[in-house]
Amino acid sequence: MPRNPELPNDPDPRSPLDVSRLRKVLVDGAGSSAGFYERLDVVDETGSTNADLLAEAASGDRRVLLAEFQSGGRGRHSRAWNGIPGAQVIVSVLLKLPGVALPDLGWLPLLTGIATVDAIHQVTGVPAELKWPNDVLVDGRKLAGILVEVASTAPVPTVVVGVGLNVTLTEDELPVPTATSLLLAGAGELDRTRLAEALLTSFGERIRQWERHGWDPTVAADAYRDRCSTIGRRVRAILPGDTELHGVAVNIDEQGRIVIQPDGEGEPVAVAAGDITHLRPV
């Protein structure tokens, strides 16, 4: 692959993921997430890591699939989320959650967001933050996206959690002008293997903490609020039915909903689903 002149020269920031190292740390028992993941695979190319694991949901658990390139990825509302070979961390996890109440599955994108931000902070120091519910931003530009899909609800809730993190995308390679990458954010560390390891370790620890607390999702509520830049901001929420709500985001409630105090008079509104836009202060 020709080297992009905007990329650092040494080491190669788009070298392949080190699958042996990832398996050793995350599956075989050399890291803090030892025993959490049962299987980890890396493929050169696929349409969608989420779709691949959804197709195998009946027979697997705690499986990790990473792709060097994804040609048919999807975000929320089926928006395209594709890739540049070797420039992103594209990963999905298949997870069975016995004991989790179905309404609490809505916390999974938030838990994943915490894990993603923490991994970015740990490895790169880049001041990433969360935009409710599951976008990772730097200076208002999207660095990573999260998509959680439910494979089945019975007999055991089974989900696939997908993360796409932009690592070495240059300005010319960004899918939209509002996106960014760790490279563009000035990260000194661009090792995708290290980033994937940190992300999956953090995610495993968050799920284990959730389980230790009897699957009470509010165990992570304060951690999410601390990392969420939406709280305290003026926002526009586009709700189902294309209705709009303008106001200030004041909290994340116990169900993981964003609570908005409408402009003017009115009681706070808890929003479970909708597109949120951060607005400039008035």
Side-chain angles (χ1 to χ4, degrees), residues 76-77 79 131-133 236-240 271 273-277:
R76 296 174 65 235
H77 308 301
R79 294 171 181 142
K131 174 182 169 230
W132 185 90
R236 178 179 66 245
I238 301 178
L239 308 177
V271 175
D275 278 348
I276 300 293
T277 300

Side-chain angles (χ1 to χ4, degrees), residues 35-139:
F36 184 81
Y37 298 104
E38 296 183 357
R39 179 174 170 180
L40 183 147
D41 296 296
V42 178
V43 296
D44 289 336
E45 180 178 345
T46 189
S48 163
T49 53
N50 263 34
D52 291 347
L53 289 186
L54 284 167
E56 301 182 17
S59 58
D61 185 20
R62 302 196 179 191
R63 286 194 54 186
V64 177
L65 180 63
L66 296 112
E68 298 286 1
F69 173 65
Q70 181 170 262
S71 60
R74 292 164 293 117
R76 296 174 65 235
H77 308 301
S78 298
R79 294 171 181 142
W81 180 269
N82 299 328
I84 299 292
Q88 298 162 298
V89 172
I90 299 169
V91 59
S92 296
V93 179
L94 171 64
L95 194 62
K96 295 187 186 301
L97 295 166
V100 174
L102 294 182
D104 291 340
L105 291 177
W107 269 93
L108 263 176
L110 281 66
L111 291 171
T112 308
I114 296 170
T116 303
V117 163
D118 286 355
I120 292 166
H121 291 173
Q122 174 191 337
V123 176
T124 73
V126 168
E129 54 191 10
L130 291 165
K131 174 182 169 230
W132 185 90
N134 55 3
D135 284 344
V136 179
L137 306 182
V138 175
D139 295 329

Side-chain angles (χ1 to χ4, degrees), residues 21 47 61 81 99 111 120 128 138 161 168 172 209 217 231 257 259 268 280:
R21 171 180 162 183
D61 185 20
W81 180 269
L111 291 171
I120 292 166
V138 175
V161 179
T168 61
D172 290 343
Q209 180 192 43
I231 297 174
R257 301 176 299 182
V259 180
R280 295 180 182 274

Side-chain angles (χ1 to χ4, degrees), residues 197-266:
E197 177 186 322
L199 194 162
L200 289 164
T201 297
S202 182
F203 178 75
E205 290 170 350
R206 286 289 168 186
I207 299 300
R208 279 178 162 164
Q209 180 192 43
W210 191 11
E211 184 176 17
R212 286 196 303 270
H213 286 79
W215 301 113
D216 176 7
T218 61
V219 68
D222 285 343
Y224 185 85
R225 294 185 187 107
D226 288 345
R227 294 157 178 78
C228 182
S229 65
T230 305
I231 297 174
R233 297 283 297 266
R234 287 199 72 251
V235 299
R236 178 179 66 245
I238 301 178
L239 308 177
D242 290 332
T243 58
E244 290 193 10
L245 173 66
H246 291 242
V248 176
V250 295
N251 197 12
I252 305 294
D253 71 9
E254 293 187 354
Q255 297 178 43
R257 301 176 299 182
I258 189 79
V259 180
I260 299 173
Q261 177 61 55
D263 290 340
E265 298 182 357

Side-chain angles (χ1 to χ4, degrees), residues 156-169:
V156 175
T158 303
V159 300
V160 173
V161 179
V163 180
L165 169 62
N166 295 334
V167 181
T168 61
L169 293 180

